[in-house]
Amino acid sequence: NGVIHAVPAVIAPPTRVLLDTIARDPDFTYLVAAVVRADSGLASNSTSRLQYALGEPLASLTVFAPTNAAFQQLIYGLVYQQVFAATGNAVLADATANGAVAAGPAFLNTNNVSTTLVRGIVAYHVLGQRAFTVNFPTTGASFPTLLNGAIPSHPGVTVTSSLTGPFGTGLTVKGIANATASTASATATGVDRHAINGVLYKINQVLLPQ
């Protein structure tokens, strides 16, 4: 009535939810700050909070998690463009943008960035179902996110998987306003980071919905 495979170690299920997985990774300090800022103004027991979704053990989610470097690149570009458009001074724009980056994750809590903007960006990085590399097609296809799932006309994010035989070995994801696709970083166990309530991919760009 079946088959048995002898393995050299005990195969254990994941022990952490996505929220804990993200919080424990030092490369996600900007993402943690973004999630906290996105939830500001909501009641601590509100099920609309992103922290609730990421911490709910019975949830089933996919998170494309930008690294600190990805957030720094985005902050620099946005601040530079804003200052240069207002002043036409490239030196001032560069200095102001570098100052914003130097502020660290705390910059996301300043008046320069609205809560609505941060919440929209974070929600654009989450799919409402768990999907491993092997569940995505090898030809780019669009998937709705928590941000635009209720908007049929919005293409969501474009995800492309790389397979070696039956195994997923790579993944790229592109936001509608990104010039290029973001690449998921591989770990010793592959690109999929399994959690109790979903799967996480570490990516090298912040996905932009518009």
Side-chain angles (χ1 to χ4, degrees):
N1 61 344
V3 61
I4 295 175
H5 296 279
V7 296
V10 175
I11 299 174
T15 58
R16 300 188 182 115
V17 293
L18 287 163
L19 186 64
D20 191 29
T21 301
I22 292 169
R24 288 172 178 265
D25 191 323
D27 209 12
F28 291 147
T29 52
Y30 278 84
L31 179 57
V32 170
V35 170
V36 172
R37 176 63 187 276
D39 287 342
S40 62
L42 297 175
S44 59
N45 60 348
S46 172
T47 57
S48 297
R49 297 167 75 239
L50 288 165
Q51 291 173 82
Y52 173 85
L54 296 173
E56 169 54 55
L58 299 180
S60 180
L61 304 170
T62 298
V63 177
F64 301 110
T67 62
N68 290 339
F71 271 100
Q72 290 169 348
Q73 182 181 37
L74 174 68
I75 289 170
Y76 178 91
L78 291 177
V79 173
Y80 184 96
Q81 291 174 11
Q82 183 181 34
V83 175
F84 185 77
T87 66
N89 187 326
V91 175
L92 177 61
D94 178 66
T96 306
N98 280 319
V101 171
F107 177 79
L108 296 174
N109 287 312
T110 67
N111 293 329
N112 297 299
V113 185
S114 71
T115 300
T116 301
L117 174 62
V118 176
R119 185 172 180 79
I121 288 177
V122 176
Y124 191 56
H125 289 73
V126 185
L127 306 186
Q129 60 184 3
R130 186 192 313 254
F132 295 102
T133 313
V134 294
N135 301 131
F136 292 110
T138 54
T139 300
S142 297
F143 292 85
T145 70
L146 294 188
L147 174 64
N148 62 287
I151 308 174
S153 61
H154 195 289
V157 293
T158 301
V159 186
T160 307
S161 177
S162 299
L163 302 178
T164 301
F167 302 105
T169 54
L171 186 121
T172 62
V173 56
K174 182 181 179 298
I176 190 172
N178 292 94
T180 59
S182 176
T183 302
S185 301
T187 66
T189 57
V191 294
D192 309 85
R193 296 182 64 177
H194 195 18
I196 292 172
N197 58 344
V199 59
L200 179 145
Y201 299 96
K202 180 181 285 191
I203 59 175
N204 61 358
Q205 289 187 69
V206 176
L207 304 176
L208 302 175
Q210 62 181 21

